[in-house]
Amino acid sequence: MTQSFPIRTLGLVGGGVIGSGWAARALAHGLDVVAFDPAPGAEDALRAAVANAWPALERTGLAQGAGRDRLRFARSVAEVAAEADFVQENAPEREDLKRRLLAEIDAGCAPGTVIASSSSGLLPSRIQADCRHPERVVIGHPFNPVYLLPLVEIVPGELTSRDVVERAAGFYRSIGMRPLKIRKEIEGYLSDRLQEAMWREALHLVDQGVATTEDIDDAIIYGPGLRYAFMGTCLTFHLAGGEGGMAHMLDQFGPALKLPWTKLEAPELTRELHDRMVEGTAVQADGRTVKELERWRDDCLVRLIEVLAPLRHERRAESADPVAP
């Protein structure tokens, strides 16, 4: 399989929250975007979502020639497949639907075009199974909002070629992302498995009356969340061991892992728990619409990114291999 970079046209199948996020990021990096979504009013919703994201993207910096007018809405999946240099599928998380769509995209794409799915947990080996060229199908799992958060998990299936993984990573880097290649195919991949563990525990705490939704969020915002933004989990616990590092931390706190502090299984989603979660987050939203909250979230993320950018640059420079004179 051969294909030269740079990618000029990103094809999107599915224009919801994730699809519109891909559109906004690609447009901000000076690409053309051709998209299709069969839902009624999909084009207007997609353009509105991109418009809502644009102020944050203007603050972070637009590429030369970037513009919302470079978004075109197609009439079919086949039209997207025929015109795109790289296709990102963003359909609902249903294996049967994704298998059918990926096969349809594969049938219409030019030879060598990479096809990525934004799936957040399905096994790539299963959803690529009906494609004539499964070797060019890979998972490219982003995080919301796609246009600001740089992480994208790349998960190959059993039949995905190594070349496609590298080319997908190269494309994502070209639009300002941080590709993370998952070493072994697994449901839920990496980040979502970590998030889901915390989410299950949060539901238990609310269900048992230990905390409100706001308590849960404050427990992260003002504590570990600040460290997670630049240090993550493992390095944080390494420091928790003092001069002895991770070895001392495991020796000292390892026995606590046997204590019943967490629950692995999610609680039953009863109507009472459902209502507590809905009512709690409504109080937190304090009358603000989702669009208003998105713009507030984007402003917070942009400020955080601006603060962390030089620190991450220093970290990369320190960890880089020395260059021979």
Side-chain angles (χ1 to χ4, degrees), residues 206 211-222 280-281 283-284:
V206 173
T212 65
T213 59
E214 187 170 13
D215 294 336
I216 297 292
D217 288 348
D218 284 351
I220 299 300
I221 292 169
Y222 299 107
T281 49
V283 170
Q284 289 179 263

Side-chain angles (χ1 to χ4, degrees), residues 298-313:
D298 290 355
D299 180 61
C300 293
L301 284 173
V302 169
R303 294 185 187 191
L304 187 59
I305 289 168
E306 289 171 346
V307 170
L308 292 177
L311 301 177
R312 287 178 174 151
H313 178 74

